[in-house]
Amino acid sequence: MSTPSGPSQDDVAQHFNPMAPDQLEDPYPVYARLRRERPVFYSPTFDLWVVTRYEDIAEVEKDPSRFSSAGALDARSAPPPEVLQVLQQGYFPFVSLVQSDPPDHSRVRGVFGRALSASRIAAMEPEIRATADALLDSFVRDGQADLIQQFAYALPGFLICDLLGVPRSDMEQLKRWSDEKTLLMSGTAPLELQVQAAHGFIAMQRYFIERLEERRKTPREDLLTLLVPQSMGGTASMSHEEAVCNAMDLMAAGHETTTGLIGNGMWLLLQEPEQLQALRDDPSLLPNAIEEMLRMEAPIRGFFRAVTTDTRLGGVDVPKGGRLFIVYASGNRDETQFSEPDRFDIRRADAKKHLAFGKGIHFCVGAPLAKLEGRIAFEQLLRRLPNPRLRTDSVAVRRPYFMLRGFEHLPIAWDVPAGTAP
Ligand code: HEM
């Protein structure tokens, strides 16, 4: 097998570990060295081929026949028998849009295109603004808050519930199940936890099976109604199994990713007070600032593909059956694509070229909603929190995730005008 530069004593590939504390904090120096020295390499630790250059990631995304998404999110081995026994009480394996290839992908994507159409999303603006304002009302006079726990977590969670058409009071339960699904797919947790997560997976399926049945009987103006399959008398050209799995997937796809955008974006702005001030003075800069936030700190740092045939990528032979990890967060800092890639610049002319939403047929179908939520969140945060800053008496804590990049806690403070403090 050939590599552009063979392993050396200080082979940077050996340092690659997204879970290591220094790389959870700041993975970008390792990505920069990987792009220079080992742009495509095999990691035995993770059993993954790691791809870090912009051009190579784009090549993967544009060729779904060579680089498949089917089952690419699942751990490689079959679940242990104790887990499988539980999973077989429902739909398993999991069939969702992001884990499918054409022609199934094109068929299901058509349903999502209608469900998340530009006009449907634009119509959500008043509701997004009212939700952001209500959350801000609950803490604005305190002069301090945990931005993630008190704002960035709830806003997209509530909005996904609204979009699906389920009560906001179900958000916490749905999020717990969704986290259990993620844990199950990673396949690395202790057996006891995996069994517990499998029960959660089945409970979440039952929840959506019941909701779809309700929509069949009484259609509503919501996304779940658009997912009712033709076989049940609905309009969606998908199977019942696909409808259930895709409803489940939306919680993961649309919730924590957007929490990441808001938290990461605020953190970037708090490092750069002049750019923060420029946005307060001129909110019309916000749409480009959101693109630049996504470029600098991709909320999904990378995604997976399965190689369908022996192939060559970035000058390296990759065997059929290999599993790729394409690192958007590295492609977004590629110096061949972006000048001074490590500089946060809300006016950057080509920020939009980032890979944070992917590229090609799997380009994020929720991107317009995520960007609208991001814009309104920052409009309201900057308008209502004067002189925002990181708190010096407590620390920001990142979530220890392989795939996602975001904060668990982001303690911030701001000025409260005299007479309005509680
Ligand atoms: C800032 C927030 C978000 C980020 C960073 C993000 C990122 C991504 C990325 C990178 C992909 C492509 C994965 C691949 O290449 O295989 C993707 C796909 C997808 N996203 Fe998002 N996403 C966000 C918000 C949302 C929202 C709000 C929704 C739903 C309302 C959503 C629903 C989806 C779906 C259904 C797919 C699968 C598309 C397909 O396979 O054709 N995402 N997202």
Side-chain angles (χ1 to χ4, degrees):
M1 199 149 292
S2 63
T3 56
S5 59
S8 68
Q9 280 216 313
D10 182 31
D11 183 1
V12 61
Q14 291 168 11
H15 297 305
F16 173 80
N17 181 357
M19 303 304 285
D22 59 331
Q23 288 173 56
L24 280 175
E25 194 54 41
D26 180 8
Y28 301 104
V30 168
Y31 294 162
R33 268 193 71 193
L34 285 170
R35 286 193 303 275
R36 277 195 309 272
E37 298 169 26
R38 304 271 270 137
V40 177
F41 73 94
Y42 177 69
S43 160
T45 314
F46 299 104
D47 190 16
L48 286 170
W49 292 82
V50 181
V51 184
T52 50
R53 280 186 186 160
Y54 186 102
E55 285 298 347
D56 296 334
I57 296 168
E59 180 178 338
V60 170
E61 300 240 61
K62 284 181 192 157
D63 191 349
S65 61
R66 235 185 337 148
F67 305 106
S68 164
S69 290
L73 262 180
D74 294 337
R76 308 207 75 182
S77 50
E82 297 88 336
V83 177
L84 199 58
Q85 198 188 358
V86 180
L87 294 177
Q88 281 169 344
Q89 295 167 24
Y91 288 135
F92 187 80
F94 195 73
V95 284
S96 70
L97 182 63
V98 79
Q99 290 209 73
S100 66
D101 292 328
D104 290 339
H105 176 269
S106 332
R107 177 174 47 78
V108 174
R109 177 93 185 191
V111 177
F112 272 92
R114 282 188 293 285
L116 298 173
S117 68
S119 56
R120 272 187 106 81
I121 298 307
M124 287 179 75
E125 175 154 355
E127 173 188 344
I128 300 175
R129 197 175 298 281
T131 309
D133 261 332
L135 288 168
L136 274 158
D137 286 343
S138 69
F139 61 77
V140 70
R141 284 177 302 143
D142 299 346
Q144 60 178 46
D146 181 337
L147 186 75
I148 304 299
Q149 298 299 323
Q150 293 175 258
F151 183 82
Y153 172 77
L155 180 68
F158 284 158
L159 292 164
I160 281 287
C161 287
D162 295 355
L163 192 73
L164 282 164
V166 300
R168 289 183 174 188
S169 52
D170 287 357
M171 194 245 306
E172 289 294 345
Q173 177 61 72
L174 287 165
K175 178 73 172 79
R176 266 195 300 278
W177 281 334
S178 188
D179 286 347
E180 287 184 322
K181 178 167 89 54
T182 309
L183 178 143
L184 201 60
M185 299 296 167
S186 79
T188 51
L191 181 62
E192 206 178 306
L193 276 183
Q194 286 192 53
V195 172
Q196 188 187 323
H199 283 291
F201 183 83
I202 296 301
M204 192 176 189
Q205 288 197 359
R206 292 205 176 116
Y207 174 93
F208 281 114
I209 289 170
E210 283 168 22
R211 299 292 88 74
L212 284 169
E213 180 56 21
E214 285 168 11
R215 297 304 183 279
R216 182 188 69 79
K217 290 189 191 143
T218 319
R220 291 201 210 155
E221 281 295 313
D222 61 22
L223 200 148
L224 274 176
T225 301
L226 296 176
L227 291 184
V228 176
Q230 286 163 356
S231 60
M232 284 173 76
T235 57
S237 44
M238 54 170 83
S239 63
H240 186 246
E241 180 179 4
E242 286 170 332
V244 173
C245 293
N246 277 300
M248 288 170 75
D249 228 22
L250 272 179
M251 284 312 294
H255 188 177
E256 203 160 332
T257 48
T258 314
T259 302
L261 163 62
I262 299 169
N264 296 346
M266 190 57 145
W267 184 82
L268 284 164
L269 287 177
L270 295 178
Q271 321 291 315
E272 301 280 347
E274 279 170 27
Q275 303 205 42
L276 188 147
Q277 190 55 45
L279 285 180
R280 288 179 73 107
D281 295 343
D282 181 2
S284 75
L285 294 172
L286 260 171
N288 202 63
I290 302 282
E291 302 289 353
E292 177 68 349
M293 290 168 186
L294 289 162
R295 186 191 71 82
M296 279 294 285
E297 292 286 358
I300 299 185
R301 59 162 105 191
F303 222 85
F304 304 95
R305 292 290 188 274
V307 181
T308 59
T309 176
D310 289 350
T311 194
R312 232 176 135 66
L313 180 66
V316 176
D317 292 324
V318 184
K320 176 179 175 176
R323 221 164 132 248
L324 302 182
F325 184 53
I326 47 175
V327 192
Y328 309 127
S330 171
N332 285 350
R333 302 278 189 115
D334 191 325
E335 34 293 285
T336 67
Q337 300 293 323
F338 300 101
S339 65
E340 295 184 75
D342 294 327
R343 192 166 62 86
F344 177 58
D345 176 6
I346 57 168
R347 296 183 177 83
R348 184 182 289 274
D350 58 357
K352 251 190 172 160
K353 232 174 54 180
H354 66 74
L355 299 168
F357 288 125
K359 224 179 178 34
I361 63 164
H362 290 282
F363 181 86
C364 177
V365 73
L369 174 60
K371 290 200 268 188
L372 185 62
E373 284 182 42
R375 173 169 68 71
I376 295 172
F378 281 102
E379 270 173 24
Q380 302 309 84
L381 287 167
L382 297 182
R383 191 173 64 76
R384 297 192 61 187
L385 307 183
N387 187 24
R389 54 204 177 263
L390 284 173
R391 271 173 62 186
T392 46
D393 56 344
S394 48
V395 287
V397 179
R398 287 184 190 277
R399 300 211 74 179
Y401 282 153
F402 188 93
M403 247 185 86
L404 301 180
R405 180 158 173 80
F407 290 95
E408 176 98 40
H409 299 288
L410 189 60
I412 61 167
W414 57 91
D415 296 343
V416 180
T420 60

